[in-house]
Amino acid sequence: DDPEKLAAFQARIDAGEKIEPKDWMPEGYRKTLIRQIGQHAHSEIVGQLPEGNWITRAPTLERKAILLAKVQDEAGHGLYLYCAAETLGVSRDEITEMLLDGRMKYSSIFNYPTLNWADIGAVGWLVDGAAIMNQVPLQRTSFGPYSRAMIRICKEESFHQRQGYDAIRKMAEGTPEQKKMAQDALNRLWYPSLMMFGPSDKDSVHSAQSMAWKIKMNTNDELRQKFVDQTVPQAEYLGLTIPDPDLKWNEERGHYDYTDPDWSEFFEVIKGNGPCNVDRLAARNKAWDDGAWVRDGLLAHAKKKATRQHA
Ligand code: ACO
């Protein structure tokens, strides 16, 4: 890239200007955004699977209606984000195929199973809670279409987090068996939720450049710490115990000290070796194959219409 153009671009970023699709941008900026927005979009779509799994088994009609709406919202989030990625010159089909054949990632968290109803509460509380913590600063990200998609997504995401907290609260305040289920869900989902923020800063290959470009607004560890600080009092309110014996308030730092996740597990999961990676990709591939006739039909219809208009 031309150094003068690069400097002018960086000056716009530093001045807090939004970059729009038709503006000049360094190739690395474009690529990083396609990677991050694409991975984010895929996470919304794959993230429907662990929760969709419980729609037919929700304990009440009300919970079922709420879960149904929430899972539909996630599909909407995926669509806003695919649209944002498309403005960078990559088609939705292209990045979908990259997800389906494993060239693109999606969030590690969705490779863990949801074993029972308490997990659905814990997913809303912890997974959506972690997602919001990461996404609120992304509303200020430098790329216009991504930033605008995030504003809309964050509004819905905070409803998702609250419905999850309400569901887990009901379990935590329920019978001893229900409380045990809530604790068990927290035990299993705590560390995978911490992993959502990405590797520790020393292992985060993209953070420095992405922050200079204001694609990312915070480091992975900064957001993970904020999430821990926010979530510990919520767990206390529920009467549940975070599964980290070394977790304690550090007066000097003004933050909780906590134990990092097992990073070898994280790297295995993102390599494709988590508990549900194979199932998740198989489900997405099946949905894509099953939908081929719809896509073919739509294309044939559009072609026919176009020829008629020409005639
Ligand atoms: N799951 C899967 N892969 C991850 C995760 C994760 N939780 N965290 C990091 N990675 C991958 C990165 O994609 C990168 O791999 P790549 O080079 O093959 O793309 C590698 O691990 C190294 O990590 P970083 O250098 O720290 O990567 P990055 O700067 O992209 O930071 C982060 C990762 C924080 C997830 C960032 O991409 C981000 O903020 N994304 C937007 C939010 C998002 O995707 N949320 C999805 C879950 S929320 C939801 O869907 C409800």
Side-chain angles (χ1 to χ4, degrees):
D1 288 323
D2 173 347
E4 250 175 60
K5 275 188 175 169
L6 270 178
F9 178 81
Q10 190 62 47
R12 289 190 65 195
I13 299 271
D14 295 344
E17 276 180 44
K18 291 276 178 263
I19 306 300
E20 295 299 336
K22 289 190 173 142
D23 297 349
W24 184 87
M25 60 184 79
E27 223 16 62
Y29 180 84
R30 183 188 302 278
K31 277 205 182 120
T32 302
L33 277 170
I34 292 174
R35 181 182 62 78
Q36 179 167 322
I37 301 174
Q39 167 172 315
H40 195 164
H42 298 327
S43 303
E44 302 283 356
I45 300 298
V46 177
Q48 292 182 286
L49 296 169
E51 291 183 290
N53 183 31
W54 281 89
I55 291 172
T56 55
R57 292 173 286 170
T60 66
L61 185 58
E62 193 190 5
R63 294 279 176 203
K64 187 186 179 111
I66 294 170
L67 186 61
L68 193 59
K70 181 208 188 277
V71 172
Q72 272 181 351
D73 284 353
E74 305 295 1
H77 297 177
L79 298 188
Y80 311 152
L81 288 164
Y82 284 127
C83 289
E86 279 182 323
T87 68
L88 292 157
V90 61
S91 77
R92 192 168 142 195
D93 280 10
E94 255 173 275
I95 49 175
T96 300
E97 275 158 17
M98 285 166 80
L99 165 72
L100 298 178
D101 66 18
R103 275 176 294 158
M104 266 181 103
K105 295 187 168 77
Y106 56 90
S107 181
S108 51
I109 186 69
F110 302 119
N111 293 307
Y112 290 85
T114 44
L115 302 178
N116 56 50
W117 181 254
D119 287 12
I120 295 302
V123 165
W125 171 34
L126 300 172
V127 175
D128 292 279
I132 299 173
M133 193 55 84
N134 165 279
Q135 289 170 354
V136 164
L138 289 178
Q139 295 177 105
R140 290 179 287 114
T141 193
S142 59
F143 186 57
Y146 192 25
S147 153
R148 291 187 286 275
M150 290 320 307
I151 292 170
R152 215 163 141 186
I153 290 175
C154 282
K155 288 204 177 108
E156 294 177 354
E157 211 69 72
S158 59
F159 153 71
H160 296 172
Q161 199 264 351
R162 271 178 285 165
Q163 70 82 35
Y165 193 71
D166 185 63
I168 196 95
R169 187 183 53 77
K170 195 88 181 166
M171 298 290 283
E173 291 171 355
T175 62
E177 286 81 3
Q178 286 170 325
K179 184 165 183 183
K180 217 169 130 195
M181 284 171 73
Q183 180 63 54
D184 173 59
L186 172 58
N187 292 350
R188 282 179 292 104
L189 288 162
W190 174 250
Y191 284 108
S193 302
L194 294 190
M195 292 177 196
M196 288 176 69
F197 297 94
S200 64
D201 290 351
K202 64 177 177 13
D203 296 319
S204 169
V205 282
H206 302 295
S207 279
Q209 181 60 73
S210 289
M211 285 177 67
W213 277 332
K214 295 190 186 162
I215 290 175
K216 274 168 89 160
M217 307 304 286
N218 302 86
T219 74
N220 300 354
D221 286 335
E222 276 168 19
L223 292 175
R224 191 170 9 253
Q225 178 73 63
K226 271 183 100 168
F227 174 73
V228 171
D229 291 348
Q230 172 185 281
T231 310
V232 173
Q234 294 173 346
E236 278 167 6
Y237 182 83
L238 294 172
L240 300 178
T241 310
I242 305 266
D244 178 357
D246 295 328
L247 183 89
K248 60 173 187 310
W249 178 253
N250 182 327
E251 195 63 53
E252 218 169 279
R253 292 200 311 123
H255 292 292
Y256 282 93
D257 289 337
Y258 64 94
T259 310
D260 258 337
D262 172 357
W263 291 119
S264 60
E265 177 179 323
F266 169 78
F267 286 113
E268 276 304 307
V269 172
I270 66 172
K271 261 198 288 179
N273 303 324
C276 300
N277 296 60
V278 172
D279 289 354
R280 300 297 186 231
L281 272 190
R284 288 315 309 155
N285 271 289
K286 182 175 183 309
W288 183 249
D289 295 343
D290 289 352
W293 68 273
V294 180
R295 294 191 299 279
D296 291 347
L298 285 172
L299 278 176
H301 178 68
K303 254 192 210 149
K304 225 190 211 168
K305 248 175 100 179
T307 10
R308 267 200 215 118
Q309 268 162 6
H310 286 307

